[in-house]
Amino acid sequence: MTDFTVLDLLDLDLKEHNHLRLSCIAGRSGLSKRITTSKISRPGLPLSGFFEEFSNNSIQVFGKGERAYLEKLETEQNTDSIDKLFSYDIPCCVFCDNSNPSPRLIELAEETGTAILKTDLLSSDFSRRLYQTLDEVFAPTQTIHGVLVEVYGIGVLITGESGVGKSETALELIERGHRLISDDTVKLRNISDNYLIGMGENPLLAHHMELRGLGIINLANLYGVGAIRDRKQVQLAVHLEPWDAQKNYDRVGEAILEDIYLGIAIPKVIIPVKPGRNIPVIIETAARNERLKKLGYYSAKEFDQSVLKWMESESARKMYYVNEETL
């Protein structure tokens, strides 16, 4: 997101343990200022007069330590560093622990058009939540055509040509107790170059589904809120394609396939579609198998080892019988 303002930060619809609990107490004219980085700053050194490497384009977070030091500077009437701090074009200041800025700071905020925000969270807890929030806001994004569902706790991204049956497969999975994140378009976010989060391109439309011959349906109304989810980490890619009798499909599971989105590799399985194949059950099995792999258990490798042991035992038995006959 390239145009993210302080007002946008206040308006973010964050849930429960991610909620920042912010309110604006001064400098409302600065709510339109843009936030351009996911970094945050604790301005202890600038308040002491050291402004080299000062991250003035970051949100300035004031905890108990910074608040106590501000009081000390104002008591000593040594406010040069405070004045200099507000001479920079900083996005906003956040006072944590339910603490209030002094009248002098509020005056500077109004003069410079710098929003002063307040939260009742501890500075450590607030900083963690803010880092996580800004990481997601400024994460690289990509929108793809597909369906994202949660199957046995695994985020499964279903792709394929139009008309191959992605939505119908997802609907059957929901009937079987799994959850829909988004149908038709999925917005992916690269979080810290570590994992992908998938969600609906439009939050208002994400839990609607288009079924040919039936039209648009609302999954939340039909199946209840337990059948939907706002976002989910993408952990498995499933590509549906029409069955091709001339193509050799992997029958053992040794092939390692991946889809790469935003530089992050996602394990991939290709499922050929033809009448008589129960695609939802196959996807459930693929999700279960992926969970086993995350626990270090690989069915294909175990099968290979079992076959090798059997072949070795057969070879040893034949050699024994041959030796017995020659005696």
Side-chain angles (χ1 to χ4, degrees), residues 5-280:
T5 67
V6 179
L7 183 59
D8 292 326
L9 180 66
L10 284 170
D11 288 343
L12 284 177
D13 184 21
L14 302 173
K15 309 297 182 184
E16 300 171 356
H17 60 280
N18 290 324
H19 203 289
L20 299 175
R21 304 181 194 171
L22 287 170
S23 59
C24 181
I25 58 176
R28 293 185 178 277
S29 61
L31 290 177
S32 59
K33 281 190 176 181
R34 294 175 63 244
I35 300 172
T36 58
T37 177
S38 60
K39 297 178 181 178
I40 65 176
S41 174
R42 299 292 293 269
L45 285 175
L47 289 176
S48 67
F50 185 80
F51 281 87
E52 292 183 30
E53 304 296 329
F54 173 46
S55 183
N56 65 286
N57 63 338
S58 303
I59 296 174
Q60 307 298 312
V61 178
F62 292 76
K64 288 182 178 179
E66 290 84 4
R67 182 70 184 91
Y69 191 59
L70 281 171
E71 291 178 355
K72 177 177 181 295
L73 292 176
E74 292 185 0
T75 301
E76 297 172 351
Q77 295 185 346
N78 180 16
T79 59
D80 290 346
S81 59
I82 302 176
D83 295 339
K84 186 173 181 180
L85 178 72
F86 278 87
S87 70
Y88 286 88
D89 187 25
I90 56 180
C92 65
C93 298
V94 180
F95 281 78
C96 302
D97 313 302
N98 221 16
S99 60
N100 292 305
S102 66
R104 173 59 180 157
L105 249 70
I106 291 179
E107 182 183 339
L108 284 170
E110 298 293 350
E111 289 177 359
T112 59
T114 303
I116 302 289
L117 311 181
K118 179 180 175 180
T119 178
D120 61 350
L121 295 170
L122 296 174
S123 57
S124 56
D125 192 16
F126 174 77
S127 297
R128 177 183 58 79
R129 297 187 188 194
L130 183 59
Y131 268 126
Q132 182 177 336
T133 299
L134 294 179
D135 266 350
E136 185 167 327
V137 167
F138 290 99
T141 62
Q142 177 183 357
T143 299
I144 65 169
H145 180 64
V147 181
L148 182 59
V149 290
E150 182 190 57
V151 181
Y152 297 128
I154 297 291
V156 180
L157 178 63
I158 305 174
T159 61
E161 296 177 3
S162 180
V164 76
K166 299 184 293 296
S167 295
E168 290 81 357
T169 299
L171 183 61
E172 177 63 23
L173 287 169
I174 293 163
E175 286 272 6
R176 298 173 66 88
H178 306 293
R179 296 197 282 183
L180 175 76
I181 292 87
S182 181
D183 177 61
D184 195 41
T185 59
V186 180
K187 187 175 184 178
L188 302 177
R189 288 187 183 272
N190 175 334
I191 307 298
S192 302
D193 286 328
N194 191 24
Y195 59 94
L196 290 175
I197 290 290
M199 64 197 74
E201 175 72 14
N202 185 331
L204 298 176
L205 304 178
H207 300 137
H208 291 72
M209 180 177 286
E210 178 191 352
L211 297 172
R212 288 175 173 80
L214 188 59
I216 304 294
I217 61 174
N218 186 319
L219 271 297
N221 290 344
L222 284 174
Y223 296 94
V225 294
I228 61 174
R229 183 168 177 167
D230 289 335
R231 59 188 61 204
K232 176 65 181 175
Q233 179 182 350
V234 180
Q235 297 155 293
L236 177 66
V238 172
H239 184 73
L240 304 182
E241 64 176 38
W243 182 286
D244 184 356
Q246 306 301 318
K247 185 175 180 179
N248 291 322
Y249 293 102
D250 186 11
R251 301 180 65 178
V252 178
E254 288 183 318
I256 299 177
L257 301 177
E258 292 178 335
D259 268 343
I260 298 178
Y261 300 103
L262 297 169
I264 295 180
I266 303 296
K268 173 185 178 181
V269 294
I270 297 175
I271 300 179
V273 178
K274 73 173 183 179
R277 300 201 86 201
N278 195 328
I279 304 303

